[in-house]
Every structure is written in C-alpha cells, then in structure tokens.
Amino acid sequence: MKLKYVSLIFVFIAAITISCRVSEEKKNAADWVDVFIGTSNSRWMLGPYASVPFGMIQLGPDNQGKVWMSGYDYAINSISGFSHIHAWTMAGLRMMPTTTDLVFADRPVDAAYKGGGAGYHSRILKETEKAIPGYYSVRLYDHDVFAEMTATTRCGFQKYTFPEKKESRVLIDLLFPAEYQFSVVDAKIDKVTDSEIEGYAKCQIGRGSWNEYTLNFVLNFSKPFDTFNGWNEGELTKDTTGISGANDIGAYVTYQTEEGEVIMVKSGISLVSIDQARLNLETEMADFGWDFEAVKNQAYDDWNAILSKVEVEGGSDVDKTKFYTNLYRCFAAKQTWNDVNGKYMDPCEQVQQMPEGQRMIGGDSFWNSYWNLNSLWSLVTPGIMEDYLETQLELYRKNGWTSVGPTGLEYTGIMNVSHETEMIVGAYQKGIRNYDVNEAYQAVLHTVTEQGKRLLPCSGLAGNEYLDVYNEKGYVPYEMNPSSLTFDYAYDDYCVAQMAKSLGKNEDYKRLMKRSANWKNLFNPALKFMVPKDSTGNWMADYNPFSGVHFVEGNGWQYTLYVPHDIPGLIEMVGKDLFNERLEEGFEESVSSKFAAHAFDRYQPEPIEYYINMGNQVNMQAPYLFNYSGKPWLTQKYSRAILESYYGSTPYHGWEGDEDEGQMGAWFVMSAMGLFEMEGGCEVEPMVNITSPLFAKITVELDPKYYSGKEFTVEAKNNSKENVYIQSATWNGEPLNSTRIKFKDIVAGGTLILNMGPEPNEDWGIQSN
C-alpha cells in the first residue's frame, strides 16, 4: 500500500513537472515582452503603444505636457488621449472617447497648454491598464469607457465600450503636447458620410524648421454617428459638415449609447494625400472587416515572428523579460513612411514612387548605431538592414545625399554626423548586397568627400558641415563646432576606406585611411587625453577631462576612448598600463551610478566626475576595450554587471538614460548573447567581440536569403550570476583562444561553446586577435 502511494506521488510530481515544462514551452517570445518597462522615464517614441514592427502608426496613450521626454509616463494615473504618431520630432491625430460635460480643450500636466477647465483627459485605475505587443487597453475612469486599440503598419483600430449616455463622443484633436512641440499651420476635417471622416493637418516643428509634414487621415466608424461638430481657436461649430483653420483645431462626433455598446473606429494615415490614406485603410483592413480580435492577433503574430528569430534558454524569468523587451524595442520606434503602393513624400514635399517590394524607413539618428542596432539587424534581420540601405540609396539618387536621421524622410543633420555611412558599409561588408553596389559606394564616398550643406527651405543639413575645415586642418576647431566631430569624421573615413579596399579602389583607400588617422591631431601627448584645439592649433586652456564643453553629449574622459577603428593605436598612444588604470578606475567609480551619467556635463556650472556612461552612445564600447588591452576578463565582468544593474525590469527602471529608438535595447540583446562589434562591421573582414553571455544557450535563426539558413548557437556551460568568467572556448569543436570571431563564420552557422567559472582565467583570450 505504501509503495502504491509512493508511486502515485511520483506520478503526480512527474505530471506537474511535465505540465510546467509544456506551459513554459508554450510561452512565445512575444509573451515575455513587458511594454511598460522603462516607460516612467522614456522618450516620446517608446510608450506602451499598439503597433507592428516599423509601423507608421504607434497608437497609444499620452499623459504629459510640453516637456522633454514627454508622451506617456507610467507614474501618471491619467490619460489625455490616444495619438497615432509617436515618431522622433513627429506627432499627430489624437483621439479620445468622452462622456462627461463637453470640453474640447484638454488640460494635461502642463496646465499652461490650452488653459481652462478640467479638460477632456481622464483618470485611470492602473490595474485596468494592459498591453502586449500590438495591443493596448485601459478603462477611462472619468468617462467610464473601456478603450482598446491595435494596429497594422499604416492603420489604427480602436474599440470603445461606452456606458449608457444620451451623448457619448469621440474627439479628434490635431494639436496637442508632444516632446518636440509642433504647430498646425493649416488643417481641415470633413464629414464624408455619417460613418466616415477625412482630413489633413499640415504640421511644422518650430519656425523655419526642416521638418514639415502633412498628416492625411481617413476615419471609418462602425456605427453612423448622430452629429459631426468641430472647433477652431476656441470657437465651436455644432452639427456641421466640416471645419478648417490652423492652430487649435479638432472635431467630435456624438452618439446616444446603451450600456456596454461598442463603437469602433478604423483609421488610415498617409503623408502623401487623403486618397492615399484611404488606399492604405482599404488595403490593410480589407481582410478584417470589423473583426478587432483578428487585427490584434495579426499584430501579435507579426511581433512574435520577428522576436522568435532568437531563442534563449536558461537564465531567470526576469532575464528573459529584459531580453525580449529590449529586442522588441529594436523594432518598435522607427517607422515605414511609404504607402502600400510605394508612394512617399520626399524631403522637398514632392511625391515619389518606390520600386515594388521596397519600403522607405525613417527615424532618429544613426549616431553610433554601429555599436548596437546595426549589429543586431544585420545578424537577426538582414532584410531590415537592406530596407534601410535602400531607403538611403533612394534619398541619394533623388536628392543627392544620404540622411543620418530620416524622420519623415527628411534631412535632419541631427548630431552633425553622417553615421548612416557605417550602416551602408557594414551591410556590404557582411554580404548584404541585393542592390546597386557601385551606387552605394558612390553615396558613401560622396558623403566623406563633398562639403555638406543645408538644404533649407527644402530640408535640413545633409552631409558633414565642417568637412572643409577638417580637410584643411585635420581636425574641427572648437570655436567652430564641437571638436568631437573630428573623431566621427575620422571613423567615417575609415569605414569608406574599407569599402574602397573591398572594391579594389586603392587610391580612395589610401587617401581615406591616411585621413582616418586625424583623431591623433587632438591627442595631447602630455595629458594623454583628447583635448580640443582652436583654429590656430593651440590646445584649449584650463582643460578638464570631465567637462563636456566642445564635446557632443560626452566629456573629454569618455571621448579619449572614442576611436572605434584604431583601439590598438589609441592604447599605444596612451600607454597600456595607464589605459588600463584609467579604465578600471572609471568602471569602479561608476558602479554606484549603475554605469550611467544623469546629466550632460556641458550644462553644469562645474564639471561632474562622470566616467562610464552607458546612458549615451559615446561610451557604449567601454567594457569591450579590455578585450584589446590585455584584460578580457574585465570585459566579461563589466558587461555582465551592466546587464544586471544599468538595465532594469520595471516601469521605473528600464534604462538609466536616453533610449534612442532601440539603441540601448540592441546593446542589451547583443551583449546578452555575448557579442559586440567594436569596428561596427565596417572592416574588410568584420570581426565580432566575445564576452560573457547572460543565458545558458542562445540560438539565432539565420536568414537563408542572406546567410546559410542554419543556426548560430552560443552555449555557456555552468553559467550563473556568479560564474561570469570564460574559462575556455571552442568554435565548432575546435579550441578558441581569441576574444574575436569572424562575422562570416557566425552566419555560416555553428556553435560557440564557452565554459564559465566564478574566477577569471587570465590566460584565456589574450593571444593576438
């Protein structure tokens, strides 16, 4: 009898074990994503929005005023409305269901905006707020409306469940607070039928800005509305057929609703025309009708398909949540800007046509994305890398220049650099070549050899604005612009030189490689720091390495490490011992701040001793420098420490800094896989740095169109929070004693096995790479 009970117990335990294993196996990659992580301290582009990868629409909640990093803040228990565009420097088309007394001007946190009254915003009960990739929902407490939303690439789909009311409304507001405040210089909203509205808003960021765009939209309602009404500049017009004007302008429709009645709204948008917005709506929603769940499920499936290209095993649930949330961020903040038929609006506001099957992608700057997004996209989703490259070539052939930050497909000149060059060169060097290679080379060569210029009133800065003085003097004098541009220009030179070498263009190669050494012109041999010079060649007086003056979003200490293409040369000039001494001190001093600086030094009356700052792009290579200075175990130690402390897993702690459209997310993902590209993949033979992975096993599904179609696997045996040091390694069964591996070997498929331990093995990885 006892044996029988013991057997039953074992069977019961086994059943539970199997059930748990099956449950875990059923959890998709998208199920690990927590879209609220970091949203209490995040940019306009990264909220809990309903979107698909690289969607034109990011439909979701706003609850802040005209402040930096505005948009959505998890800590605020109210919603001002749901807007369709959350792109860098772009916003538009807010909607809001309301049932309380009519108010058509909102009063968000910034009370100075549209003053007067309680506003149409609503408090929320936080426990009712839910979101997964492609879907967001919340109950609006004051209006007693349950709001849900999902999206396709160019269309939004909202579902509002109303209470019993004699007058329920759906508001359309074309001017509202955003991170970069915009104005509406001309707008119109028209009633087409009792269930369709169309309109446009011509928007501008600032006066005389490079960023002007016209947001065209078409709205379809699931039920005919009772009345259509509008306002402009505080003047209300009821029961009308249209409203036009500028500045504060909007409209609303009314319904008499029963308890639990559902009103749904489908929206299509376009930067080209209203007809194009309608075409986007009809095309992308044709198969769905009014089936909200079907659209929601399709959005989820789109996300899961892209996130499932990387599988992680081992590690904690928190680790997996952080991993897949950061992976999600890499595809959630940039936009597709062409319509379904390939039409798009170019930087000069002229309609253009993309070849069939291609798309135009835009967003914030490529500034230093060679250390994060470029690496991730080229490995996991090379098709996206190619799409972005085709966007750059289309801009080049139509306008004569590539663009570093093509938000809305404009020339922004953001950060005053041209790091789209590294993306193009890196794609070519890695074998992503389904385009006109000669045109790509001419595009990047043009950037580093032709004087940059401002294209206003058509658009903003294209190319390198201080290339002429850089050519003349070998550096950018600090009285003209931040001297740190010297390092960016030199790295651009190196990358284009490498492509020239690959293509057999030896004269270009020699000329640009010589110029790529210009970073040495700002190295002060006495101080062993990078020090700005004036136009006469004199060093800046009263130099303090912790000052950010004459550096872009960094300080002299950090920029002294900023030579991606010649780390061995930098170590030689500083001296290996001093280099390691400084770097080790910098990391130890930065532990308490979680390896982040919480202010840009140039804004401070006195320099602050910030060393390592993973919160901005300039310093993201720092932990991997030890791989070059003879102490790779410290790369392993500090890259793991950053994954643990700098990156969090709550709405209040996601990233200790400025997450620029997935750049920090991509750094986490690549480092969690144990990988990093110091030279950005621009070498003739791209090399990948190795560090301590976060998981026991990582498997990347390699795209058969570009690569082998096999799997690349990293196995970290005996890995744990304590066992962060690599003891030995093999690549496809052969011993590996190098901290670097060829990218071409990775994408050919294979297995990297790392044996981990609690103490450093100071003999591993120190041989010449």
Side-chain angles (χ1 to χ4, degrees):
M1 183 66 69
K2 290 182 179 179
L3 181 61
K4 179 179 179 181
Y5 285 141
V6 170
S7 298
L8 287 173
I9 290 170
F10 276 117
V11 168
F12 179 69
I13 292 172
I16 292 175
T17 303
I18 292 171
S19 175
C20 292
R21 188 178 299 126
V22 169
S23 176
E24 183 174 343
E25 289 173 353
K26 287 182 178 178
K27 194 164 187 176
N28 294 322
D31 297 333
W32 290 104
V33 176
D34 182 349
V35 300
F36 290 109
I37 285 179
T39 56
S40 188
N41 182 34
S42 190
R43 298 287 301 279
W44 173 256
M45 303 82 76
L46 292 171
Y49 311 132
S51 68
V52 295
F54 288 91
M56 186 182 294
I57 280 181
Q58 289 139 334
L59 177 57
D62 303 325
N63 60 13
Q64 293 178 280
K66 297 179 289 184
V67 295
W68 174 245
M69 301 183 83
S70 71
Y72 173 86
D73 184 340
Y74 182 87
I76 298 173
N77 291 330
S78 68
I79 299 294
S80 299
F82 308 104
S83 58
H84 283 67
I85 293 182
H86 289 91
W88 176 63
T89 73
M90 297 177 69
L93 190 58
R94 173 187 280 183
M95 299 181 68
M96 184 69 167
T98 69
T99 62
T100 57
D101 292 343
L102 174 62
V103 178
F104 53 88
D106 190 30
R107 189 179 182 181
V109 175
D110 179 0
Y113 177 76
K114 289 184 178 180
Y120 58 65
H121 75 282
S122 174
R123 293 170 293 172
I124 64 172
L125 298 178
K126 210 63 184 176
E127 62 269 22
T128 70
E129 191 177 33
K130 310 294 180 186
I132 61 172
Y135 171 80
Y136 173 85
S137 66
V138 70
R139 176 166 293 280
L140 302 173
Y141 178 80
D142 292 306
H143 299 299
D144 196 18
V145 174
F146 183 57
E148 302 174 80
M149 52 212 66
T150 186
T152 62
T153 299
R154 302 165 182 87
C155 301
F157 198 158
Q158 298 171 79
K159 179 180 179 182
Y160 301 136
T161 303
F162 283 95
E164 181 180 357
K165 287 286 181 178
K166 290 184 179 180
E167 184 174 285
S168 293
R169 307 173 207 92
V170 178
L171 274 71
I172 305 155
D173 197 348
L174 299 184
L175 181 65
F176 50 89
E179 183 178 73
Y180 288 83
Q181 190 53 46
F182 65 101
S183 60
V184 175
V185 297
D186 180 37
K188 191 173 184 180
I189 310 172
D190 286 330
K191 170 185 171 182
V192 180
T193 70
D194 287 343
S195 58
E196 182 172 304
I197 293 171
E198 66 180 27
Y200 68 85
K202 185 176 181 180
C203 303
Q204 186 175 21
I205 303 292
R207 186 171 295 178
S209 168
W210 43 260
N211 198 357
E212 294 182 355
Y213 59 95
T214 299
L215 176 59
N216 303 279
F217 58 90
V218 174
L219 306 176
N220 287 341
F221 293 77
S222 60
K223 176 184 176 181
F225 41 78
D226 297 333
T227 66
F228 173 86
N229 316 272
W231 74 86
N232 184 216
E233 298 279 47
E235 184 177 340
L236 178 63
T237 303
K238 287 193 172 185
D239 202 8
T240 185
T241 59
I243 191 78
S244 62
N247 301 318
D248 178 18
I249 183 170
Y252 67 93
V253 298
T254 65
Y255 293 94
Q256 182 173 339
T257 56
E258 299 177 356
E259 182 67 34
E261 183 170 356
V262 171
I263 305 293
M264 292 183 284
V265 188
K266 292 189 290 189
S267 48
I269 67 171
S270 168
L271 298 188
V272 176
S273 68
I274 290 174
D275 287 343
Q276 286 290 117
R278 184 173 285 106
L279 177 64
N280 290 340
L281 181 58
E282 292 172 349
T283 303
E284 293 192 351
M285 290 294 185
D287 295 335
F288 297 111
W290 289 102
D291 190 341
F292 180 88
E293 289 300 314
V295 178
K296 172 186 172 184
N297 292 339
Q298 182 62 61
Y300 173 89
D301 289 344
D302 289 347
W303 277 112
N304 195 56
I306 206 166
L307 299 175
S308 297
K309 292 181 181 295
V310 184
E311 180 184 3
V312 297
E313 301 175 47
S316 67
D317 285 356
V318 170
D319 291 335
K320 290 175 182 174
T321 295
K322 288 165 67 173
F323 182 87
Y324 283 108
T325 301
N326 279 287
L327 183 58
Y328 164 83
R329 291 298 186 198
C330 300
F331 305 96
K334 297 181 186 289
Q335 298 76 30
T336 297
W337 287 117
N338 64 283
D339 294 331
V340 291
N341 59 356
K343 291 185 184 296
Y344 71 93
M345 192 68 77
D346 75 8
C348 297
E349 310 310 316
Q350 299 297 311
V351 179
Q352 302 288 355
Q353 177 72 53
M354 277 293 279
E356 185 176 356
Q358 295 181 8
R359 61 174 169 167
M360 297 291 283
I361 303 176
D364 197 355
S365 175
F366 282 101
W367 188 46
N368 293 36
S369 65
Y370 48 79
W371 280 337
N372 39 70
L373 284 172
N374 295 7
S375 302
L376 175 74
W377 290 339
S378 59
L379 177 62
V380 178
T381 55
I384 286 174
M385 193 80 159
E386 185 174 275
D387 286 346
Y388 236 134
L389 192 150
E390 288 285 9
T391 297
Q392 293 295 331
L393 294 186
E394 174 73 2
L395 290 170
Y396 172 69
R397 70 176 67 102
K398 295 290 177 61
N399 307 282
W401 295 89
T402 56
S403 174
V404 68
T407 187
L409 305 179
E410 296 281 354
Y411 289 95
T412 64
I414 184 66
M415 312 311 297
N416 287 335
V417 297
S418 296
H419 287 170
E420 73 276 14
T421 299
E422 283 71 15
M423 186 271 294
I424 296 170
V425 173
Y428 173 80
Q429 303 288 42
K430 292 176 178 180
I432 303 171
R433 299 175 181 175
N434 298 322
Y435 48 85
D436 186 333
V437 169
N438 184 61
E439 182 181 43
Y441 178 70
Q442 292 303 319
V444 296
L445 183 66
H446 180 267
T447 297
V448 298
T449 56
E450 295 294 326
Q451 175 61 28
K453 62 180 181 179
R454 295 191 176 272
L455 303 179
L456 290 172
C458 176
S459 197
L461 174 66
N464 293 322
E465 188 173 15
Y466 295 90
L467 187 63
D468 52 355
V469 68
Y470 170 81
N471 281 332
E472 177 189 346
K473 297 182 178 297
Y475 62 94
V476 178
Y478 65 75
E479 70 266 34
M480 294 184 179
N481 209 276
S483 284
S484 55
L485 292 183
T486 302
F487 313 123
D488 294 305
Y489 288 3
Y491 179 52
D492 287 350
D493 289 338
Y494 167 82
C495 291
V496 180
Q498 295 297 296
M499 189 172 183
K501 185 176 182 180
S502 294
L503 294 173
K505 299 181 183 296
N506 293 326
E507 290 306 311
D508 288 347
Y509 167 73
K510 292 176 183 178
R511 174 166 56 105
L512 292 172
M513 279 302 291
K514 180 179 180 181
R515 215 170 66 177
S516 74
N518 280 346
W519 64 270
K520 297 178 182 179
N521 294 330
L522 293 186
F523 184 83
N524 186 309
L527 298 178
K528 305 290 186 181
F529 278 110
M530 298 296 186
V531 181
K533 284 181 178 178
D534 65 20
S535 57
T536 64
N538 294 315
W539 300 109
M540 182 179 73
D542 301 321
Y543 173 77
N544 185 322
F546 298 106
S547 169
V549 176
H550 305 308
F551 295 100
V552 176
E553 296 190 9
N555 59 34
W557 192 95
Q558 294 156 2
Y559 267 100
T560 297
L561 307 175
Y562 184 64
V563 189
H565 56 293
D566 193 9
I567 300 301
L570 173 66
I571 293 172
E572 182 180 359
M573 292 189 76
V574 174
K576 186 176 180 179
D577 291 341
L578 178 59
F579 185 89
N580 279 325
E581 179 185 330
R582 281 182 182 170
L583 198 56
E584 290 181 56
E585 178 190 17
F587 270 97
E588 286 306 307
E589 291 292 330
S590 302
V591 170
S592 61
S593 63
K594 300 180 180 178
F595 308 103
H598 297 278
F600 294 148
D601 300 315
R602 67 181 184 274
Y603 298 141
Q604 307 303 317
E606 296 293 334
I608 302 173
E609 286 196 15
Y610 281 132
Y611 295 85
I612 304 303
N613 181 17
M614 297 304 297
N616 221 326
Q617 284 87 329
V618 172
N619 220 200
M620 290 181 132
Q621 88 290 17
Y624 292 93
L625 293 171
F626 290 113
N627 272 355
Y628 297 79
S629 65
K631 295 189 173 184
W633 59 90
L634 294 181
T635 287
Q636 299 151 34
K637 174 183 177 179
Y638 290 117
S639 63
R640 282 290 289 268
I642 290 165
L643 294 177
E644 291 292 335
S645 65
Y646 174 82
Y647 292 88
S649 59
T650 73
Y652 304 100
H653 178 201
W655 314 271
E656 295 286 338
D658 180 5
E659 164 59 312
D660 273 337
E661 296 191 347
Q663 288 207 42
M664 292 180 189
W667 193 97
F668 180 98
V669 171
M670 291 299 292
S671 293
M673 293 195 289
L675 308 173
F676 181 81
E677 292 181 330
M678 181 65 73
E679 296 87 351
C682 292
E683 319 98 299
V684 172
E685 184 69 84
M687 301 295 291
V688 180
N689 274 265
I690 297 171
T691 189
S692 174
L694 187 58
F695 299 96
K697 186 176 181 181
I698 305 102
T699 304
V700 179
E701 174 189 315
L702 298 168
D703 193 320
K705 179 180 176 181
Y706 302 90
Y707 305 136
S708 64
K710 299 178 182 179
E711 291 181 344
F712 165 62
T713 302
V714 179
E715 292 185 28
K717 296 185 179 296
N718 200 33
N719 198 10
S720 68
K721 302 295 184 186
E722 296 74 32
N723 294 350
V724 302
Y725 296 104
I726 299 172
Q727 307 299 300
S728 62
T730 63
W731 169 247
N732 285 341
E734 297 295 324
L736 177 70
N737 195 34
S738 171
T739 57
R740 297 203 292 171
I741 186 172
K742 294 178 181 178
F743 181 85
K744 72 176 182 182
D745 290 342
I746 288 175
V747 296
T751 301
L752 174 65
I753 295 178
L754 305 172
N755 296 297
M756 311 301 293
E759 299 295 332
N761 176 4
E762 297 185 6
D763 293 324
W764 183 85
I766 59 172
Q767 74 175 36
S768 176
N769 288 303

